[in-house]
Amino acid sequence: MALTKQNKFLALLLVEFLIGFLLKSAPFGLSTVGWRASVIFACFIISSLLGLAPIGVQSLIVLTLIGLFKLTPDSKALFAVFGSESIWLVIFAFFIAIGFRNTGLGKRISYSLIRLTGNSVQSVGYGLILCDLVVAPFIPSSNARGAGVGYPITTSVIESLEIENKEERRRAGSYFSMVSYHGNLLTSTLFLTAMATNPMALSMAKDLVDIDLSWGKWLMIMAIPSVLALLLIPYILKRLIKPVDFDTAKIKHDASVKLAEMGKLKQSEMILIATFALMIFLWSFGKQFGVNATVVCMIATSILLVTNVIAYDDILKEKNAWDILIWMSPLLLLTSIMTKEGVIDRVVQLAQNLPMSVSWVSVYLIVSLLYVYLHYFFTSTVVHLQVLFLPFLTIMLSFGVPSLLAVLTLTTLLAITPGMTHYGTGTSGLYFSLGYTPQKQLWLIGFIISVIELVLFLGLLPLTTGWFG
């Protein structure tokens, strides 16, 4: 008799228990805690790939095992992860997106976008990327842009299409959400100020190399690979997802009619626009006021609550936000334990043992690939940067990789690594929660896109750093 998914999941848990918790000594020089955390994470990856259980169920079991086998110092540390700043940024962004639905501003923007770019499904995709691109230089957080700008506009575009066929609607939703998500990550590579980890990485690199990159010089070096990737990704995603092309003339006409029907901006829409402008201002200059991206979203949510643009009941009903809190928090805790216990350090040590006869080009390619695909073990680009950037940069420099090329490659590749999974960064879960892209498909798409982006960046950065460096 064929095993059900539930039985396979139970069998995987049993294997996890036998390997991780009955083994008397941890292998590979790991601590017992590090080994057990690694086994739990490996089983989570396997279960996710096979789709054996909902991700919320998997994550709650992960949290249970962490507590049961005392992988944290105490219960306070076990539950403190539910207060993660990066997760709450995404949750508050969900609440702000309610305002775009309640006021109709989301539909107004999406109808305008369709009217301007609605020549095809693909051209609407480019329009979504343009929305992110316009604000990218001013908002130094891909999570903030993805959650606060891309997500509400993307969901409004999908709703505005009014596609009745379920499968066609799913494909359209999948296409637009994946374009918006991957476009959001890619714009972070184009501008020095588009992602906080960009200047952080340059600052960390100063301990090893003398590099001083201005905003303009960064843009010149990154323009060719980043813009090519931004132009190519919507086309590739269309081939992978195969959304049905809608009747563009009718869609554009309908969008114009609906815009006319909506009339002038309502007071609630103007409040939302003013709040949104305040968010962009604070995201751009928040450091000068001591306000971070999550607090900015909290301020905006509070304004919308006080002005009745959104209601408290709306927040309670926002199921996807609370779902992300439940399933993503345990994964953040698990990756934190693995990092603290030196699991990732062991992988880095293996990389440092490469034979000395290897050319710098080979090392450049191998280390870059390892750097990107190790993000399967991370739920945060900041943690990835803190753990891997300097060790991997040291490896590259010791084998003769040009310093500017090494620094920019590791810095910019970090921005695109979250696109491979549904937990790679805060907005990964945000777009996955829409339900248009099944988990297996999202991982497959993420891997294919990562290969294309690696070819572009690893192929072109050696040229552009030479030309403009």
Side-chain angles (χ1 to χ4, degrees), residues 37 68 74 76 80 82 87 95 103 160 170 218-219 241 251 285 319 394 401 403 423 455 461:
L68 180 63
D74 50 42
K76 190 177 290 186
F82 285 101
I87 293 177
F95 302 156
T103 63
S160 300
R170 187 199 68 77
W218 174 290
L219 180 61
I241 299 171
I251 289 291
F285 305 103
K319 177 183 173 182
T394 303
V401 179
S403 56
Y423 55 79
V455 170
L461 278 178

Side-chain angles (χ1 to χ4, degrees), residues 281-358:
F281 174 79
L282 291 176
W283 275 332
S284 303
F285 305 103
K287 281 188 178 180
Q288 299 175 25
F289 300 99
V291 181
N292 65 27
T294 303
V295 174
V296 170
C297 284
M298 293 170 66
I299 292 170
T301 301
S302 298
I303 292 172
L304 298 181
L305 283 167
V306 169
T307 55
N308 293 319
V309 173
I310 64 175
Y312 183 62
D313 279 348
D314 294 328
I315 287 176
L316 294 178
K317 293 173 185 176
E318 195 62 28
K319 177 183 173 182
N320 289 337
W322 304 119
D323 182 46
I324 282 181
L325 177 65
I326 290 172
W327 72 253
M328 199 165 187
S329 299
L331 298 185
L332 280 177
L333 178 59
L334 187 57
T335 55
S336 174
I337 293 170
M338 291 170 64
T339 302
K340 184 179 177 181
E341 294 297 323
V343 175
I344 306 300
D345 286 341
R346 291 296 296 157
V347 178
V348 173
Q349 287 171 15
L350 291 173
Q352 288 173 328
N353 291 328
L354 287 167
M356 292 302 293
S357 59
V358 174

